[in-house]
Amino acid sequence: ADAAAVAALFWGDEEFNPDDDDADEDAPATRLLLDAVVTVVDARRVARSEGVVDADAALAALFWKQVAVADVILLNKADLVDPSPIARAQVTARVIAANPHAPRLWTERARGADVDDLAALLGARAWDRSRVAADAGIAA
């Protein structure tokens, strides 16, 4: 899914818009918070292919847009990527090129020392719609 479009539903809908000074304190905006967009990346695919999904340009564009919008990036399937520092650096460089702002955490089966504690992912208040709008080319 297009994470930017899903997030835009929250800030584009008056009922959910926390910037509304006249918002009813019982409205969803006072109870909901888009904390962070966490994107899980198949690091093995990034390592094997320049375009991740070379056969389908539209799918590849959506993949890289998801990376660009992320507040946290899980580089998953680390166990299936060449463990050499050069191979890991190449994967990391491709992801950084799409999103230099988000922290990147290497995981195996979406688990790792940095993510086993959900506090590492949740409660960060990392979502910044103006950064995402600028980086991903969407309206703030």
Side-chain angles (χ1 to χ4, degrees), residues 48-119:
R48 293 165 118 180
S49 170
E50 287 291 325
V52 177
V53 189
D54 293 323
D56 188 338
L59 191 55
L62 177 61
F63 168 82
W64 288 113
K65 186 172 183 181
Q66 288 177 340
V67 171
V69 169
D71 296 305
V72 177
I73 299 169
L74 302 183
L75 295 165
N76 199 38
K77 298 186 182 179
D79 54 323
L80 302 178
V81 175
D82 179 348
S84 74
I86 292 173
R88 297 272 173 117
Q90 289 173 336
V91 171
T92 301
R94 288 182 186 154
V95 172
I96 288 173
N99 184 339
H101 308 288
R104 293 156 306 281
L105 308 171
W106 283 89
T107 63
E108 295 178 15
R109 295 183 180 96
R111 294 181 179 261
D114 295 330
V115 297
D116 284 341
D117 178 10
L118 282 179

Side-chain angles (χ1 to χ4, degrees), residues 112-138:
D114 295 330
V115 297
D116 284 341
D117 178 10
L118 282 179
L121 301 177
L122 303 176
R125 296 196 173 224
W127 176 251
D128 179 354
R129 70 179 175 188
S130 59
R131 179 200 57 85
V132 171
D135 291 352
I138 59 174

